[in-house]
Amino acid sequence: MHTNTHQNQPEAADATPLQRRFDEVRQLTERLTESLSAEDQNLQSMPDASPAKWHLAHTSWFFETFLLKEFAPDYRWYDEAYCYLFNSYYNGIGPQYKRARRGLISRPGADEVLAYRRHVDAGISRLLQDLSPSRRQTIAGLLELGLNHEQQHQELLLTDLKHALWHNPQFPAYRNTGPVTAVAAPLQWQEFDAGLVRIGHDGNGFAFDNETPRHKVWLQPWRLASRPVTNGEYLEFIEAGGYSDPLLWLSDGWMWREQESVELPLYWVSDESEGWQEFTLGGLKALDREAPVAHLSYYEATAYATWAGKRLPTEAEWEAAAQGQPVDGNLLDLDCLHPRAAPSTGAMDQLFGDVWEWTSSSYSPYPGFSPAAGAVGEYNGKFMVNQMVLKGGSCVTPAGHIRPGYRNFFPPSARWQFSGLRLADNIQ
Amino acid sequence: MHTNTHQNQPEAADATPLQRRFDEVRQLTERLTESLSAEDQNLQSMPDASPAKWHLAHTSWFFETFLLKEFAPDYRWYDEAYCYLFNSYYNGIGPQYKRARRGLISRPGADEVLAYRRHVDAGISRLLQDLSPSRRQTIAGLLELGLNHEQQHQELLLTDLKHALWHNPQFPAYRNTGPVTAVAAPLQWQEFDAGLVRIGHDGNGFAFDNETPRHKVWLQPWRLASRPVTNGEYLEFIEAGGYSDPLLWLSDGWMWREQESVELPLYWVSDESEGWQEFTLGGLKALDREAPVAHLSYYEATAYATWAGKRLPTEAEWEAAAQGQPVDGNLLDLDCLHPRAAPSTGAMDQLFGDVWEWTSSSYSPYPGFSPAAGAVGEYNGKFMVNQMVLKGGSCVTPAGHIRPGYRNFFPPSARWQFSGLRLADNIQ
Amino acid sequence: MHTNTHQNQPEAADATPLQRRFDEVRQLTERLTESLSAEDQNLQSMPDASPAKWHLAHTSWFFETFLLKEFAPDYRWYDEAYCYLFNSYYNGIGPQYKRARRGLISRPGADEVLAYRRHVDAGISRLLQDLSPSRRQTIAGLLELGLNHEQQHQELLLTDLKHALWHNPQFPAYRNTGPVTAVAAPLQWQEFDAGLVRIGHDGNGFAFDNETPRHKVWLQPWRLASRPVTNGEYLEFIEAGGYSDPLLWLSDGWMWREQESVELPLYWVSDESEGWQEFTLGGLKALDREAPVAHLSYYEATAYATWAGKRLPTEAEWEAAAQGQPVDGNLLDLDCLHPRAAPSTGAMDQLFGDVWEWTSSSYSPYPGFSPAAGAVGEYNGKFMVNQMVLKGGSCVTPAGHIRPGYRNFFPPSARWQFSGLRLADNIQ
Amino acid sequence: MHTNTHQNQPEAADATPLQRRFDEVRQLTERLTESLSAEDQNLQSMPDASPAKWHLAHTSWFFETFLLKEFAPDYRWYDEAYCYLFNSYYNGIGPQYKRARRGLISRPGADEVLAYRRHVDAGISRLLQDLSPSRRQTIAGLLELGLNHEQQHQELLLTDLKHALWHNPQFPAYRNTGPVTAVAAPLQWQEFDAGLVRIGHDGNGFAFDNETPRHKVWLQPWRLASRPVTNGEYLEFIEAGGYSDPLLWLSDGWMWREQESVELPLYWVSDESEGWQEFTLGGLKALDREAPVAHLSYYEATAYATWAGKRLPTEAEWEAAAQGQPVDGNLLDLDCLHPRAAPSTGAMDQLFGDVWEWTSSSYSPYPGFSPAAGAVGEYNGKFMVNQMVLKGGSCVTPAGHIRPGYRNFFPPSARWQFSGLRLADNIQ
């Protein structure tokens, strides 16, 4: 967690706006689940994905553990069992219920988890009312961390749920979504000169600890595609035999493809009578060839790029290109819930929203990085191996939660996120 | 399925008693689940166990598939997806949803499954009202099969649920159960002479196809313990190092024990301050040393018997001893939901109810066995390998569903059923 | 081990014939390996199979452990490490080197293992020369057990080696074998009446403990095919889609088939230009449609029998039919090393040799069975679960090592032995 | 493969020195195996490790495939089966025998593989004699690649063999090695200023393609330890509970540690009577506390660094510090075969030899990297994911095969190489 951001914004620690923001974020999480049955909320389709109910509870546990237990006078755990059940991976706090079994917890039920949320909400409100000046900064910083944490889980709640519903052969919709008819803009290339760039958190607003410290990187000249690769373009790769030519793939990628019998992006369905279809949060739909391709693993993204004679950008190249660009797009607030084509603006398009873009950079500490102090130091740093960085947010990333320096990260085989790619190239 | 039983009972095909019996069995299933939340009903803790909701639906699917679809005029599937989702293993009917994923089906929800049950119930009622004489026997036979099938699932519903609740670290109770204070009767031995005995279905009442044909078996003289082994006796085996001496175990059993790190019967908890405890359908309780030991694998049962210098009975020995004994005991209708000690009657005690008793007989076809005709022929015969026979029913077996010739069967490593043992011995 | 056999043969304990028999068996083992390189002898292709070198050493360890260490005055281990490396599964003797890693032992090398054999041979010779009358019976009994043990390993040595060579894409031959041109006799059915039969060791000659005690079994009338199923007959099953119809298979068998992608008997190769071929100890050969089909799992054998509208015999049916038949056939001494057709004798043909015949009987203790006393008691009894009995020996079973009561046993998925089947049927 | 290196060394393409160097490298490989039995040479203890015999053959296959088959007139494969058996991972050449099964190939035997080597050696000699000027550069470049390839396999041959011998409970020695009594120099810290550095191949001499192109990297000021961490220092970490505190470990590292039950570096043995011991190529020895710690995974190396309050260096930091340093040390030519302490030179010590040093840099393409053309392009590039870079060579790296820019790479869990660490730190 990065707290120096608040030194420039002392008014941020005033209780009222904090309370307002807290309410907004918390309410959004519940709105995302209000159409779901108790059974829907308890589904867990793989160890990496958690039930919606668990997300509802865990985000509350975060506030309870790092704020109420620390700063609320005489606070006692709402339920000691929750401290075990809803601790994700904080060994500094205590042991955790086995991740792969989160779907086996029917009790507490959905209603009990909502009651837990109410209890934590009330506790936070009291805490904000009694903010002593000495703790104001610390508490405001942790609260902001908790809210960003909850926003991350809003996205995961939707992608985890999508993965679970996918296992139902009836392909049920999370929510009805409308038709999309936009056409992809022609692909353009933008060139960037060599030089020393600065990447990482610039000190304005919130950032996670993994975005710090801001530092210099030397870049060779590079080019970047104006928009992500589309479903239609990816289909060409498939039809050209991309999934059967090992020379296009990283060695680990080819092994993964063979072991998992991967022949299509996740959620694609090839139906004899219906043609290409795609499972979306709105149910099964005809594949939109104009929309950015999503649900690719890093392995598929690199195989496509190799086939196209290009490469993925590095994190620094992507971030340097994104600095100064408007941070908007098809994010969660548009409620589209799926990537879609966008008109060209003449510059870099769709950097934010639609799909997370795989970079060729492994998720490593920035020079001089040190994790936040205390148990929240486990938030990011301990995952800095075996993962690749993704940039830009997706159609289910909450608005306000994304920025050029934001570092998302997943193992190269992961594809249940809305993960796609944008091509890059060298300039000789 | 064995239908000649009805030749002696033509009145069994009269609609009214059939309807009454149908209603009783169907209602019991629902009473077993009425205290459960929708989330409870959707839990699946391992591939071998199914969610309660799935049991509710599958038992209805059985009537729909083998009765309504076959005999109700112009019957159409309630929902074609159900035919796939709730088919357990009948390849003759069609493909099946993957067993290990039954807990991933949130839709249909619990209410929708109850509506499905209502629909099937109504269909069966109509079918019974219009019974043509020519089909009366066939339909009555299949209905009786369906009801016995549903009774099997009543037991599985409870043992599967117990296994699921066990994964909740709060050890929630399915239902409050009272204290038990009975004392085990002293162990006596009853002797039996050599000779030709007849085992298998004697033609009275219903039997599964696997209990036929009745046939002769030559038995050497044998002795049988008057009651099952108790928790207290099993504790002596534990304390004597039974779980650490490979010479007491079958070779496969020892490998299983090492791989699974088994050191106690399933559901036993050794707590420093509380002593020996056991998870029951009524929650965590102090271990009752007088009650029959339960939740043993065949491997544990044989290791205990070896340690005790005895052996398990064969299926034929057990059945010969049980013929003519009263078929009652601690069965589901007593609502005890856990094994308990019983006073001595001076003869063979607790043959029925309390715990299923492992025999040393593998589950094989009887001489002359042939599976029932049609798709129901997959009911039993195809499982006749890699399983051992258990006899006598348990505390969650519905009354009326057990008899001396009943053949239950599970792989030797299974222990989530109420499975215990009764000792046998040779007479030199 | 069963020693009462020797009560009728006191001269068997005379040293000279024992020494002669010892030499013959030991020399045969070495002849079987003399054409193999040191690398050949160290191959291990799966945990269930052992390197030839390990067989050479383990059979010597058996004599060293159960004879020299017990009875030779002041005997000290040849090498204490061998006691660990070459103990197969005798927990009563001590811990064992991990079975799956036997192929990782390059030292001792092949020459060192031969030296170990020489040392044990010399020790046994000395022991036999000094036989005190009081120990004569015991030692002669254990020696006979050790020789039968070594004969079992002669067969395993060849089947394990065949499995290892199969992994070499060049399909190397163990030894050149000649062409076979025999034609299968027409299949006849022989009928047997109901009645009490006696099976198990009749007291003449050596038998393993698992063949005792002799006991009565009641049999219904049955029919038995005059010869095993041939490759040509099995091919009809394949061509009729036998490997793609789950209704023909046991449930576990179908799962096994799917998991292992089994579509042919082990060692069969379908080659576009060459047609059907089979890997043999003589290398890759054209499939001989007249020869008995071999290398089937129990699952395949039962699927074939179901498809043919028949069943497998029980162990007792097979043994009753074999009693009094001449014990000869295509055994190891003919050096054919592969099953082959045989002319009809007008009675039961090919009961002995060619292929082990799967029975429908699980491997269980006979009534009154008790394992031999001491550590050799682990020889057989602890394997009496999850295995099926096979009868009759194969083309690599040493002559003199087979008899009607002999009980071989393997898990139902095993097929690296020469395992085939003979059909049986009920007589209504 | 990088061939521009030869533009500055035209005389390198002269046949005689090339032949001499070829002979030297080839002979060293055979000297490394000459003390091994055929069985030793065929051991494979895990899929990642190959038998020594396979290394002998594969390195010859490399010359045969990329030189003889390409450039020798009318060359025909020595044995087509070898092309399949000894192709490691070149999909561009053809399919490959399954990696995990290399230990199952007894034929060709050790002698046949030596004959294959002789054949390839003779072919290369003829090729070098007839070098046409037009192909001289290409062939000299590929030959140099093949020799560097063979040197890599010299190291792997020894580390793979060590891993295999470790599975023998007798802990056999590969070769007798003498005692070592050196004392570790005191640990000093050397500081480096911020700035743009250039890393990657500088154009002098041979380099693999993954070392190119040379490029600029901006570095923050950093400090580097003067020598690697010693066994004694690592023992302090163990005794302080380093293996039981998850807060010191990367999340994946902790999971790895738990799954594999890792509590010590690979090859360490804690013996009650003997104390700490270590398995070496010279057999089991007392642990030398002064020597650099070896056989650590990346996870262990980072846990140690975290415990020490330091970090691992990045690849660029390490390489910048190593540029200009003398490239010598405890390499294979010293025949020590194990890391050992070295006296201080007052500067950076033991950068080369002793142990490969884990860096915190994932193995990624350098900016502008493109794989060598043709099938040899699979050499390096396709492994650029899920691996970390190691620098500096080890005690079994051939002299002349290491340089500051050399990039070794292994997955973070690998520890059968001589892998250790050197600490780094930030300068605030």
Side-chain angles (χ1 to χ4, degrees), chain B residues 108-183:
Chain B
D111 289 346
E112 290 170 283
V113 164
L114 284 184
Y116 176 44
R117 287 182 71 87
R118 290 295 80 75
H119 175 87
V120 170
D121 288 349
I124 293 292
S125 291
R126 275 194 303 277
L127 187 69
L128 290 181
Q129 282 160 12
D130 302 337
L131 273 186
S132 71
S134 65
R135 288 173 166 175
R136 185 169 291 189
Q137 286 295 86
T138 305
I139 287 176
L142 284 166
L143 192 86
E144 192 55 42
L145 179 66
L147 293 173
N148 275 271
H149 172 259
E150 183 139 352
Q151 289 181 309
Q152 289 187 314
H153 281 276
Q154 288 165 353
E155 176 153 8
L156 292 171
L157 189 157
L158 290 172
T159 52
D160 290 358
L161 179 69
K162 183 175 179 179
H163 193 260
L165 293 177
W166 165 249
H167 287 82
N168 191 321
Q170 301 166 287
F171 297 124
Y174 160 64
R175 190 186 287 174
N176 286 332
T177 55
V180 173
T181 56
V183 172

